[in-house]
Amino acid sequence: MLASSFENIIDKGDEILITAMEHHSNLVPWQQLCFKKDAKLKVVPITDEGDLDMEFLDSMLSEKVKLLAFAHISNVMGTINPVKEITAKAHKFGIPVVIDGAQAVAHAKVDVMDLDCEFYCFSAHKAYGPMGMGVLYGKQQWLNNLQPYQYGGEMISTVSFEKTTFNELPYKFEAGTPNVEGALAMAEAFRYIDNIGIGNIVEHEDALLKYATEKLTEIDGMRIIGRSKNKTSVISFLVGDIHPYDMGTLLDQMGVAVRTGNHCAQPLIDNFCIPGTVRASFAVYNSREEVDYFIGALRKSLAMLA
Ligand SMILES: Cc1ncc(COP(=O)(O)O)c(C=O)c1O
């Protein structure tokens, strides 16, 4: 939606910056916009540990950059990016910042006013809510200046055969009959998170991350992809040359739900020259006992695959 609305802002020769750790959903829209407008998509590289290369970022910022879009937290490596610091760097050049918070809202405290970003977006289904639903936060003056990305009912103020005037925010961006039940379900999901308290969630998930990382590190041939000092409870890994799909299939048969493959971040996986990863992610409802069960199942599957 945002990439469509930015069509009247991006011109030939402009640059859009993203990072090497983006989910396809924060890459493909900007890439296609660049194709359409003959603009340049530039990619901030990452270190071997899976952190953004901040010095490289500094060297890429300039007046030519018209937008910086990056993930708050990497869905593959769990890296928590220094969003406030990055936003401040971009603002020195007057660059608006779009943050993909899909992996952050259920696992970290987010305060958009403090971050001072122009836009912050996330999907409800990453925060125990319904699919096909999400939030785009934007600073009012930016949203006022952007063109609507879809036309139809609700988003209009007046319509005649000669011309249409658009509704005020947020209706301007909400063409058609709204997904009311989705919005209610999403609000309930956020009440669930608020009732537990994001601080308690972070504490619990951090403990599981530390425990699981220790246990995984004891396994011969273990390679963890994403070793940032500042990360959330996601562990992507490979063991020896075992294909992630084989490991994932056996874990699945033992009742452990991991995700395998490129995690919708193909360029990031290519960056590490690997076939994909097995990704274990821990949420507020997981326990230490489940980590033990997972490690036991992993050891069993390794014995079968060795
Ligand atoms: C970091 C990140 N961004 C974006 C998305 C995609 O969200 P959606 O499929 O709702 O566009 C996901 C996960 O699906 C994600 O992990």
Side-chain angles (χ1 to χ4, degrees):
M1 167 186 163
L2 210 45
S4 307
S5 294
F6 258 79
E7 276 184 20
N8 64 342
I9 294 185
I10 302 298
D11 278 327
K12 188 174 173 165
D14 285 347
E15 293 178 2
I16 293 180
L17 284 193
I18 59 166
T19 82
M21 65 171 85
E22 297 314 313
H23 188 282
H24 297 157
S25 60
N26 196 29
L27 184 170
V28 183
W30 305 119
Q31 180 190 58
Q32 297 303 311
L33 175 62
C34 286
F35 286 151
K36 205 166 180 174
K37 306 295 294 201
D38 209 3
K40 284 191 200 119
L41 186 73
K42 294 210 160 171
V43 183
V44 183
I46 56 168
T47 65
D48 291 346
E49 285 72 38
D51 287 307
L52 280 183
D53 186 330
M54 297 294 276
E55 276 179 30
F56 215 101
L57 168 68
D58 284 337
S59 72
M60 296 173 90
L61 294 171
S62 77
E63 270 79 28
K64 274 195 267 174
V65 180
K66 291 295 177 294
L67 185 98
L68 169 61
F70 64 98
H72 189 155
I73 294 181
S74 158
N75 66 310
V76 179
M77 304 179 295
T79 310
I80 305 173
N81 285 318
V83 271
K84 196 171 172 179
E85 186 187 339
I86 297 171
T87 303
K89 280 177 186 289
H91 285 175
K92 284 199 182 127
F93 292 85
I95 304 167
V97 167
V98 177
I99 300 173
D100 169 4
Q103 292 292 336
V105 282
H107 308 284
K109 191 170 185 301
V110 178
D111 179 346
V112 287
M113 303 301 274
D114 182 51
L115 296 178
D116 198 27
C117 53
E118 277 60 38
F119 302 98
Y120 194 99
C121 51
F122 54 88
S123 320
H125 74 278
K126 298 286 160 189
Y128 317 118
M131 289 188 275
M133 193 67 209
V135 170
L136 169 66
Y137 158 85
K139 284 187 180 170
Q140 201 167 12
Q141 76 270 26
W142 272 95
L143 292 174
N144 276 329
N145 287 340
L146 291 179
Q147 64 184 16
Y149 84 115
Q150 278 186 327
Y151 303 106
E154 303 281 340
M155 56 75 65
I156 55 86
S157 175
T158 61
V159 179
S160 70
F161 285 119
E162 287 70 40
K163 77 171 207 192
T164 295
T165 56
F166 303 133
N167 206 340
E168 61 188 19
L169 297 172
Y171 311 104
K172 176 179 150 186
F173 292 106
E174 298 191 353
T177 305
N179 179 4
V180 175
E181 62 276 34
L184 293 173
M186 179 168 68
E188 194 52 41
F190 280 101
R191 270 193 285 277
Y192 168 77
I193 291 174
D194 281 348
N195 285 341
I196 301 169
I198 195 73
N200 295 328
I201 292 175
V202 172
E203 198 181 320
H204 178 73
E205 292 178 351
D206 277 353
L208 292 180
L209 171 69
K210 189 163 176 283
Y211 181 57
T213 306
E214 279 164 15
K215 291 280 168 194
L216 284 173
T217 312
E218 288 167 6
I219 293 174
D220 283 345
M222 174 61 60
R223 178 176 173 199
I224 293 178
I225 312 293
R227 292 192 149 276
S228 173
K229 289 197 174 63
N230 200 15
K231 68 178 273 189
T232 189
S233 54
V234 165
I235 310 177
S236 263
F237 63 91
L238 287 167
V239 185
D241 57 4
I242 295 171
H243 197 281
Y245 290 163
D246 293 334
M247 215 181 311
T249 304
L250 290 178
L251 286 170
D252 178 45
Q253 282 167 5
M254 287 182 254
V256 180
V258 290
R259 183 158 166 196
T260 56
N262 61 41
H263 313 290
C264 298
Q266 233 171 295
L268 174 63
I269 296 297
D270 291 346
N271 184 78
F272 284 107
C273 302
I274 51 177
T277 75
V278 179
R279 185 190 66 186
S281 40
F282 306 101
V284 61
Y285 46 72
N286 289 123
S287 63
R288 255 175 98 93
E289 291 68 36
E290 285 171 326
V291 175
D292 288 334
Y293 183 85
F294 157 58
I295 299 292
L298 181 62
R299 285 190 180 278
K300 272 190 210 160
S301 66
L302 290 175
M304 287 183 226
L305 292 164

